[in-house]
Amino acid sequence: MTINQLVVIGGGIAGLTCAESYSHLKPNDKVTILSCSPILKFNNINNKNNNNNNNNNNNNNNNNNNNNNNNNNNNNNNNNNNNNNNNNNNNNNNNNIIYRLKVLESFDVFESQFTDIEFKNPNISVVICDVDSIDINNRIVKTDKGDFKYDYLSICSGAKPNLVKESPYLIGIRDTETIVDLKNRLSDAKRIVIIGNGGIALELIHEIQGCQIIWSIKDNHIGNAFFDKDAADFLFRSKQILDNKEGKTTTTKEQKEINEDELIAKNTSSPPSNSSVYKGESGSALGPQWYSKYNFKTTDQYNKNNQEKKYNFNENVNIQYSTFLDQIYSSNDKELKEEIIKNNNNDNNNNNNKADDEDWPVYVKLSNGKLFGCNFIISATGVIPNSIVLTKGNNDNSGSGNKIIKLSNEGAIIVDEQMKTSVDRIYAAGDVCSIEWPESEVWFQMRLWSQARTQGRYTAQCIANESVKNTPQQDNLDQICTNFEFELFAHATKFFGFKVIMLGLYNGQGLNLNNINEQEQQQQQQKENEDDIKIYTREIVGEQYVKVILKNGKLIGSLLIGDTDLEETFENLILNKMDLSRYGAEILNPEIDIEDYFD
């Protein structure tokens, strides 16, 4: 029996999932994880591999049955779901999956030192090192801790923050180390500026209290990376109402706070390598609901001995719509005085926009001309794939066009249907890769934890399949993951304290329903009529928001905010492609128990 060596670059969820899944599939092979950080992300993947395989088989059977008999299919779905629920309940004590449907799952991610991973998986070794380059001809990964030979290589190096500008007063939020830096800076902050409108920005706006926040977003509504204007307005209004109604307080979360400082301190003895193309970028990305593990406090909170303090979202958060960061001034910049005078003389500015009498260490000028003094700036403007770990020395950057590694326009490593890169025996998963094979109509790629985990598991399956191809072991290899998990976009998260479920083309992705002018709206209306696109919504401010998108009578996307209990029903309806034309808006009638109706 041939013993293969798999090397995984990256200690995030994609890398750990890939390594542990491969270890489960090929326990006699050797797996080496090369991580730039001693803090690894894990979610006990091995405990649910068999369940996942059963889910995939059940789903495939359900889809086949659907073509023959919808009624029988619904009954089969119920039986399979009951079996899946029983499997999940049996394993609740052993893993951290919150819930799982056919494709949608919600899970938590924990941070652990690398020695814990090695203890749990005897055939996995973890090396904390800086990756310098990859010799693709001799299959060698070169690091500051030596060279590592591989039979198969999985690139899971993630992405780095896309910082809007370079400044000692500007930070990006990506990993545990940057959160520690944020906490330290917040300890005496009176005002901060947040640039960006994605998930990290939304989470920070909800969590940071006790100081004023200037929030600069390039769009005309919050959360544009995830929501259309209607859904964003629901979230915004609901947060305002609930915060003011309940008198939200700045209470502590000591019982949930993790000791991230200790985790970092124990493993910072080795200085970074000057030649590193990986470690200097960032550590592993933050996990789902990462903010619940940390406690963001300011000086005012400490001085009041954690006494309850009223929090007013409208007063504490100043949103600057349709703006971007223009310039950063330190307190000793010569141009600053002139900008302050110009800003204070602007009749359109109110008191909140004036660079007041406070002596701030840094000032931010936005594209609308307004100037704000603050203690520091948070750049939450997305990420850049960290593909240089593979391209260094392998792609000719002279302009000759000699590109061995195929990259997307944004610099991500392109992979095929088996997660293979353009180089033999090298695979990629997670934020660093770009999936460009013909996908399902209701699946698309986003750089999310849920997709990183799925890609890591599927990559392990593809590598294992390749390693036993045309051997006696081929028929005996477990199948823990198939490309069925790429049939439906499904993501569960939380924003502003609300559970958020996104299914399929939940925001009309690819239908160009948002951000268009009047002429384009008329053209889009004509296209909608041709494709018979229907959008239905219902909302109860402060409680729930539901949106469904039907195309030619079939459900292709749904957005659920709040406790709707509709995710399982809508997931089934999308996958089964049931014709819902005759129901129209009644599909969202709150008087109808839709879950029982479509059982």
Side-chain angles (χ1 to χ4, degrees):
M1 178 185 296
T2 302
I3 297 179
N4 292 298
Q5 174 71 60
L6 170 65
V7 173
V8 178
I9 298 178
I13 188 63
L16 259 293
T17 303
C18 180
E20 292 195 307
S21 296
Y22 188 84
S23 171
H24 169 80
L25 291 166
K26 303 288 296 294
N28 293 321
D29 283 3
K30 295 181 179 180
V31 181
T32 301
I33 300 173
L34 305 180
S35 175
C36 67
S37 171
I39 303 172
L40 307 183
K41 311 287 184 178
F42 75 99
N43 66 336
N44 293 337
I45 188 72
N46 286 341
N47 291 328
K48 53 189 178 292
N49 282 333
N50 291 332
N51 282 345
N52 186 71
N53 186 32
N54 292 335
N55 286 345
N56 286 335
N57 292 334
N58 288 337
N59 291 334
N60 289 332
N61 291 335
N62 290 341
N63 288 336
N64 290 334
N65 290 340
N66 179 64
N67 294 330
N68 298 322
N69 190 311
N70 282 336
N71 291 330
N72 289 339
N73 185 57
N74 288 335
N75 293 331
N76 290 336
N77 282 342
N78 291 333
N79 293 332
N80 287 335
N81 287 333
N82 289 334
N83 291 334
N84 292 342
N85 289 335
N86 290 335
N87 288 338
N88 289 338
N89 290 335
N90 291 336
N91 278 328
N92 272 344
N93 294 327
N94 299 322
N95 63 55
N96 50 313
I97 291 292
I98 299 172
Y99 62 86
R100 183 194 309 119
L101 305 179
K102 289 190 174 88
V103 178
L104 176 69
E105 61 184 9
S106 177
F107 60 96
D108 198 4
V109 173
F110 300 103
E111 294 182 335
S112 174
Q113 295 189 62
F114 66 93
T115 50
D116 297 332
I117 304 299
E118 293 177 326
F119 181 78
K120 290 194 310 175
N121 305 275
N123 63 330
I124 294 180
S125 61
V126 182
V127 180
I128 310 304
C129 63
D130 299 357
V131 174
D132 179 63
S133 61
I134 299 171
D135 182 345
I136 61 178
N137 295 317
N138 297 303
R139 297 179 193 161
I140 295 175
V141 179
K142 298 181 179 181
T143 78
D144 65 337
K145 298 293 179 62
D147 295 349
F148 295 86
K149 286 276 293 181
Y150 66 84
D151 295 299
Y152 298 95
L153 176 64
S154 179
I155 307 291
C156 303
S157 49
K160 61 181 179 179
N162 181 24
L163 300 181
V164 288
K165 286 186 183 293
E166 293 292 334
S167 168
Y169 295 102
L170 185 145
I171 62 173
I173 302 298
R174 177 65 180 173
D175 52 22
T176 301
E177 288 86 344
T178 57
I179 288 298
V180 173
D181 184 24
L182 172 62
K183 287 184 62 177
N184 290 336
R185 291 174 185 250
L186 278 173
S187 64
D188 59 357
K190 295 181 179 179
R191 181 192 293 167
I192 65 172
V193 173
I194 297 179
I195 309 292
N197 198 19
I200 293 290
L202 286 172
E203 291 161 341
L204 289 174
I205 290 295
H206 179 63
E207 288 297 313
I208 296 177
Q209 300 168 25
C211 70
Q212 187 185 14
I213 300 175
I214 309 299
W215 187 12
S216 170
I217 62 177
K218 63 181 177 61
D219 312 291
N220 60 5
H221 67 268
I222 67 170
N224 186 63
F226 290 97
F227 307 114
D228 62 14
K229 193 173 188 307
D230 290 341
D233 286 346
F234 164 82
L235 273 176
F236 189 58
R237 285 183 287 118
S238 296
K239 179 172 178 58
Q240 290 177 310
I241 292 171
L242 293 178
D243 283 354
N244 295 335
K245 180 179 179 181
E246 298 172 3
K248 186 173 178 179
T249 59
T250 55
T251 54
T252 63
K253 299 185 217 173
E254 294 289 354
Q255 71 279 5
K256 295 194 290 185
E257 189 173 4
I258 65 171
N259 192 352
E260 72 282 354
D261 302 88
E262 182 180 347
L263 274 175
I264 296 172
K266 287 182 178 179
N267 295 282
T268 54
S269 57
S270 301
S273 167
N274 291 331
S275 61
S276 173
V277 299
Y278 179 41
K279 183 171 182 177
E281 304 297 349
S282 67
S284 302
L286 299 165
Q289 286 85 62
W290 57 271
Y291 46 85
S292 65
K293 304 179 181 72
Y294 301 89
N295 194 356
F296 298 109
K297 303 173 184 176
T298 64
T299 301
D300 287 341
Q301 289 168 296
Y302 280 120
N303 291 342
K304 292 180 181 296
N305 296 320
N306 294 323
Q307 291 178 355
E308 290 191 351
K309 175 185 174 183
K310 295 296 183 181
Y311 171 82
N312 189 308
F313 180 81
N314 295 326
E315 293 179 0
N316 284 53
V317 180
N318 179 352
I319 304 178
Q320 297 291 303
Y321 293 99
S322 303
T323 61
F324 57 85
L325 179 62
D326 183 24
Q327 190 64 45
I328 297 175
Y329 298 101
S330 63
S331 57
N332 57 359
D333 279 345
K334 295 179 180 179
E335 300 91 347
L336 177 60
K337 185 176 181 180
E338 181 181 342
E339 288 292 340
I340 291 177
I341 294 174
K342 185 190 304 182
N343 184 80
N344 289 344
N345 288 336
N346 189 338
D347 292 336
N348 294 324
N349 288 346
N350 57 39
N351 290 330
N352 287 333
N353 301 133
K354 289 185 178 181
D356 48 42
D357 296 332
E358 182 85 26
D359 290 327
W360 300 101
V362 64
Y363 292 79
V364 170
K365 181 182 178 182
L366 301 180
S367 57
N368 59 4
K370 296 178 181 178
L371 189 72
F372 297 95
C374 62
N375 293 99
F376 65 93
I377 309 152
I378 300 175
S379 177
T381 50
V383 295
I384 302 173
N386 195 20
S387 56
I388 191 173
V389 67
L390 180 57
T391 59
K392 182 184 178 183
N394 293 317
N395 275 7
D396 184 358
N397 294 321
S398 64
S400 63
N402 183 21
K403 305 291 184 183
I404 298 174
I405 314 300
K406 292 183 179 179
L407 302 177
S408 67
N409 292 334
E410 59 182 348
I413 301 171
I414 295 176
V415 294
D416 65 12
E417 287 134 343
Q418 303 302 314
M419 304 304 287
K420 291 181 180 178
T421 70
S422 52
V423 179
D424 185 40
R425 292 179 178 250
I426 297 182
Y427 297 71
D431 289 356
V432 74
C433 82
S434 176
I435 295 176
E436 299 192 1
W437 72 70
E439 67 267 13
S440 161
E441 180 186 7
V442 289
W443 186 92
F444 58 94
Q445 185 179 10
M446 285 186 76
R447 287 183 166 80
L448 302 167
W449 273 80
S450 53
Q451 290 200 2
R453 179 180 170 277
T454 297
Q455 292 171 29
R457 186 172 61 232
Y458 181 59
T459 298
Q461 183 71 65
C462 292
I463 296 173
N465 290 346
E466 183 66 23
S467 70
V468 298
K469 193 174 181 179
N470 300 323
T471 70
Q473 292 79 35
Q474 182 173 351
D475 295 332
N476 298 323
L477 184 69
D478 286 347
Q479 297 295 313
I480 63 170
C481 185
T482 71
N483 60 8
F484 176 80
E485 295 196 45
F486 298 86
E487 284 296 309
L488 172 66
F489 176 89
H491 183 62
T493 187
K494 276 190 174 182
F495 287 123
F496 290 0
F498 289 92
K499 180 174 75 172
V500 177
I501 304 293
M502 309 168 194
L503 296 172
L505 308 183
Y506 71 92
N507 206 22
Q509 287 84 353
L511 302 178
N512 297 320
L513 301 179
N514 305 316
N515 302 323
I516 55 179
N517 59 36
E518 185 174 348
Q519 181 180 358
E520 290 172 329
Q521 285 179 348
Q522 294 176 354
Q523 296 173 349
Q524 184 61 39
Q525 185 64 49
Q526 182 178 355
K527 184 179 187 302
E528 288 181 23
N529 292 336
E530 292 173 357
D531 290 339
D532 192 19
I533 296 174
K534 304 292 184 184
I535 301 175
Y536 303 111
T537 63
R538 86 172 188 219
E539 71 172 74
I540 305 173
V541 177
E543 293 185 23
Q544 61 176 239
Y545 175 91
V546 180
K547 177 175 74 172
V548 295
I549 301 178
L550 278 68
K551 180 178 180 181
N552 298 323
K554 297 177 181 178
L555 185 62
I556 62 171
S558 178
L559 174 64
L560 310 174
I561 303 177
D563 295 320
T564 66
D565 295 326
L566 292 173
E567 50 265 35
E568 183 175 5
T569 299
F570 285 164
E571 185 192 66
N572 284 332
L573 290 175
I574 295 175
L575 289 172
N576 294 335
K577 301 180 179 180
M578 182 183 295
D579 190 347
L580 305 172
S581 302
R582 62 194 178 107
Y583 301 105
E586 287 297 297
I587 194 174
L588 294 186
N589 188 337
E591 301 299 323
I592 298 176
D593 190 340
I594 187 174
E595 187 174 3
D596 289 340
Y597 189 84
F598 286 107
D599 255 352

